[in-house]
Amino acid sequence: MTKVEPVPVLKEDLIVGQGIRVQGRDIYITDCDDFTRDYYRTELSMVQDKLVIEEHVESPPKMPLPPHNGFGNEEDSIGNCNALAPKAPRKDVGKLLQDFGKVLRFEGVMQTARKEDQDRRFIVATYIADDDVAVWEIKNPALAHAQGKFAAKARKKNPATGQWFRPSDFYVGATVEISATRFLLVAADEMAVRFMESDPDSFPVADSRAVAMKLSAVREDLLREGEEVTQQRLLAFAAERSIPLNQHECMTLARAFRAKKEVDTKGPVSVTSLIAWLGRHGC
């Protein structure tokens, strides 16, 4: 066997950006100190560069949260996964005190193809203080279903958005899914309607001015409907012209623009009053 003579490494071979082989391994030179850099510049007329090697730091993988186990609420389950000694979720005490007792109640019907469930009626409630949601079934003597709690009061996620339900998600005409059941909200109590009208920034469907503006471009067509128009006809009128209008917004117009002094949630919309208001505001 032929013996391989060792090759000496000279200072000319130690160049930043190049490599040398030491004991069977390749060594890549990336930098040198200031003294070495000055020596190469003055003695060998060589400029030693500096290579910056970006280190790839892999972030630790995030474990997916397990589904709710049914004990407590979903936030309790998340707390058990984040700490060995979980703490109770923090609540907005100021909001709890300010909005204590304020509940928006809606009447809901099941959206189902099962005939035995189509006549069932429910109360869908959302609590302003903590955004909790609860559902109760209304007793119907003609049906075999018992009245009482259908979904316990707790924070619930909206499957349509993946976010927690908020009070603004509930309005007449909305479809919400709670406990794997889809409910169409067909009515609201007077307290809920008035509360929503008192805070139009949080509940745009109860802002009569913003809703009226949607019809400003079709005033001439609206006048042909007569002095009054039912909410159902107004809803169809808007759909025919691709105007985004829902059932609660029609109710808002009926309460704000009416022929009678009394507020009538189910009454018609006064076209005369609505057009006059649009004219006064230059629409």
Side-chain angles (χ1 to χ4, degrees):
M1 174 180 281
T2 304
K3 184 178 180 180
V4 179
E5 294 294 334
V7 179
V9 178
L10 304 178
K11 57 179 174 287
E12 289 82 359
D13 299 327
L14 302 176
I15 306 300
V16 174
Q18 300 181 9
I20 60 174
R21 192 167 183 80
V22 179
Q23 296 186 358
R25 296 185 178 183
D26 293 327
I27 305 299
Y28 187 70
I29 303 174
T30 61
D31 199 4
C32 63
D33 59 17
D34 293 337
F35 175 81
T36 303
R37 187 172 285 106
D38 292 338
Y39 176 83
Y40 273 78
R41 185 177 62 254
T42 56
E43 299 296 332
L44 304 178
S45 300
M46 297 176 61
V47 178
Q48 293 279 29
D49 294 328
K50 179 178 180 180
L51 300 180
V52 178
I53 299 179
E54 297 182 359
E55 297 184 3
H56 178 66
V57 179
E58 295 185 358
S59 57
K62 292 185 178 181
M63 298 296 293
L65 293 173
H68 183 213
N69 57 15
F71 295 96
N73 56 36
E74 189 170 345
E75 290 177 312
D76 295 329
S77 297
I78 294 175
N80 292 332
C81 299
N82 292 334
L84 293 176
K87 297 180 180 179
R90 298 185 63 180
K91 295 184 179 294
D92 189 343
V93 179
K95 185 179 179 181
L96 287 172
L97 295 176
Q98 180 180 353
D99 296 325
F100 177 76
K102 297 178 181 179
V103 185
L104 308 185
R105 297 179 178 86
F106 298 85
E107 181 181 349
V109 296
M110 277 187 176
Q111 285 195 321
T112 176
R114 299 177 58 182
K115 293 183 178 180
E116 59 270 25
D117 292 333
Q118 292 177 353
D119 292 333
R120 299 171 68 180
R121 292 294 183 267
F122 298 83
I123 297 297
V124 180
T126 175
Y127 296 76
I128 303 299
D130 51 14
D131 296 341
D132 280 357
V133 178
V135 181
W136 295 273
E137 183 165 4
I138 303 174
K139 178 64 175 178
N140 187 343
L143 301 176
H145 300 283
Q147 66 179 354
K149 182 172 62 178
F150 180 88
K153 178 180 179 296
R155 290 189 72 191
K156 303 182 187 299
K157 280 192 174 180
N158 185 351
T161 61
Q163 304 296 324
W164 297 109
F165 270 119
R166 300 188 59 82
S168 57
D169 295 328
F170 298 84
Y171 54 87
V172 178
T175 299
V176 294
E177 184 175 342
I178 302 171
S179 299
T181 304
R182 292 172 62 85
F183 295 97
L184 173 64
L185 306 183
V186 297
D189 65 6
E190 184 65 20
M191 183 271 172
V193 175
R194 289 186 178 181
F195 182 87
M196 296 170 72
E197 290 174 344
S198 67
D199 188 8
D201 292 336
S202 300
F203 301 95
V205 296
D207 188 348
S208 60
R209 296 187 176 186
V211 177
M213 291 294 185
K214 294 183 178 183
L215 301 172
S216 60
V218 293
R219 286 187 299 172
E220 299 300 327
D221 293 344
L222 190 58
L223 282 171
R224 299 188 186 98
E225 297 292 326
E227 295 183 359
E228 294 183 351
V229 60
T230 64
Q231 296 182 37
Q232 291 75 15
R233 174 53 196 157
L234 182 61
L235 192 63
F237 173 87
E240 292 168 0
R241 290 157 179 79
S242 300
I243 298 175
L245 205 67
N246 58 49
Q247 188 175 346
H248 196 115
E249 290 174 324
C250 292
M251 181 181 67
T252 298
L253 292 178
R255 291 170 61 88
F257 305 101
R258 56 189 186 274
K260 300 179 181 180
K261 294 183 179 180
E262 297 81 9
V263 177
D264 188 358
T265 300
K266 297 182 180 180
V269 178
S270 173
V271 176
T272 305
S273 300
L274 176 57
I275 297 301
W277 184 89
L278 290 172
R280 290 196 300 270
H281 290 79
C283 300

